[in-house]
Amino acid sequence: MIANPSQVVPSPPPKGKASKTSAPKPNAANRIPKTKIGAKSVRKDPVLRAATKAIGMRGSELEAWLASYPNLSINTRTITLQLITQYRLDPKADEIDLVQYEAGQWQALITVNGWAKLINAQPAFCGIEFAESKEHDGAIPRWMSCTIYRTDRVKPITVKEYLVELKTEHPCWQVMPRRMLRHRAMQQCARLAFGITVPECKSPASALVKTQLDIKNPVPHAGIPSIVSHGTILKAHLLRETHKK
């Protein structure tokens, strides 16, 4: 009697040889990619990759700098990396920083070092001048102006910033108000002179939170959240260590 071909049982493969039909080869759809821990930072994040390439910084170093700001939102992280890429701002050179406001949100901030770099990098930049008012509030001039000259413009660009509109209770404004006023005038003049687009502080001046800084023990007003940049925290720590010695 001839057996039904469908009922024929195949003989086992010889010893030492694996059956060709024992296990199908995985295809591209079911293959599990092999990834290393921490490799996502550069390979899988194009925004981070572009920033590291722009300033010649390792991805791990830039990730560590970003990680030093707790609860950083994805949007703020992306904006910060885009600013680093577009203007080649180096965090290690204190050219860009992040500032935390009363709601606990971080915002990218180009420092005075960063603005000086951006101004001097402009091919049309031809010079800069500052002037201050003869009228004073106490010993501080009421306004300060900045003038930037360009080789491709007939007239210079001048911007005047007023103390009453800018001064806050932040320690920097208490210790060096003239310098802060000059920085603000330079920043706003550079924005107009070269069309540099960067995020502005969205909180109105009246909403800025007052802080109090003691060099030996910097503690903000009780119950009031402070506006302190990461760089300010580090500087205060260094001052404390210096006084301990």
Side-chain angles (χ1 to χ4, degrees):
M1 182 177 178
I2 299 174
N4 189 342
S6 61
Q7 296 176 349
V8 176
V9 179
S11 58
K15 293 183 178 180
K17 294 183 178 181
S19 174
K20 293 183 179 181
T21 59
S22 59
K25 293 182 179 180
N27 54 30
N30 59 23
R31 187 180 295 117
I32 301 175
K34 294 181 180 180
T35 56
K36 295 180 180 180
I37 297 176
K40 174 185 179 296
S41 59
V42 176
R43 286 206 297 263
K44 294 188 177 181
D45 191 339
V47 182
L48 178 65
R49 184 169 63 248
T52 56
K53 184 178 180 181
I55 60 176
M57 192 174 181
R58 290 188 299 177
S60 58
E61 293 177 332
L62 194 51
E63 279 282 19
W65 178 74
L66 290 168
S68 64
Y69 300 91
N71 303 320
L72 191 65
S73 69
I74 296 176
N75 183 52
T76 303
R77 170 192 166 94
T78 301
I79 291 174
T80 304
L81 291 174
Q82 288 174 343
L83 285 173
I84 291 174
T85 303
Q86 182 177 1
Y87 298 117
R88 299 182 183 277
L89 299 171
D90 188 353
K92 295 187 296 184
D94 194 26
E95 295 172 353
I96 188 169
D97 199 1
L98 287 160
V99 178
Q100 191 174 32
Y101 290 90
E102 63 271 14
Q105 298 176 349
W106 293 95
Q107 184 173 342
L109 170 72
I110 296 180
T111 65
V112 64
N113 291 345
W115 280 106
K117 179 178 182 177
L118 293 179
I119 292 171
N120 285 280
Q122 300 295 323
F125 176 61
C126 190
I128 188 170
E129 289 180 348
F130 295 94
E132 62 181 46
S133 68
K134 296 180 180 179
E135 300 81 14
H136 291 72
D137 288 338
I140 308 170
R142 292 183 179 178
W143 56 261
M144 190 171 293
S145 67
C146 175
T147 301
I148 290 180
Y149 296 86
R150 293 183 52 148
T151 57
D152 56 353
R153 297 290 187 272
V154 176
K155 293 184 178 181
I157 296 90
T158 300
V159 168
K160 186 183 293 184
E161 293 292 322
Y162 292 85
L163 178 70
V164 68
E165 297 177 353
L166 299 175
K167 186 178 180 182
T168 70
E169 296 300 322
H170 191 278
C172 290
W173 280 97
Q174 302 303 311
V175 177
M176 44 187 178
R178 294 176 186 82
R179 180 180 296 183
M180 294 297 293
L181 191 58
R182 185 179 72 235
H183 289 174
R184 289 291 290 171
M186 181 181 73
Q187 170 192 338
Q188 295 302 322
C189 191
R191 287 167 62 94
L192 292 179
F194 303 113
I196 300 173
T197 304
V198 295
E200 271 274 51
C201 172
K202 296 180 181 179
S203 301
S206 59
L208 294 176
V209 182
K210 296 181 180 181
T211 58
Q212 185 181 45
L213 179 64
D214 184 344
I215 291 179
K216 295 183 179 179
N217 185 23
V219 178
H221 290 285
I224 302 179
S226 59
I227 305 174
V228 183
S229 71
H230 190 68
T232 303
I233 296 173
L234 293 177
K235 290 174 185 177
H237 174 72
L238 292 175
L239 286 172
R240 288 200 307 269
E241 294 300 321
T242 302
H243 279 268
K244 286 180 181 178
K245 297 177 181 180

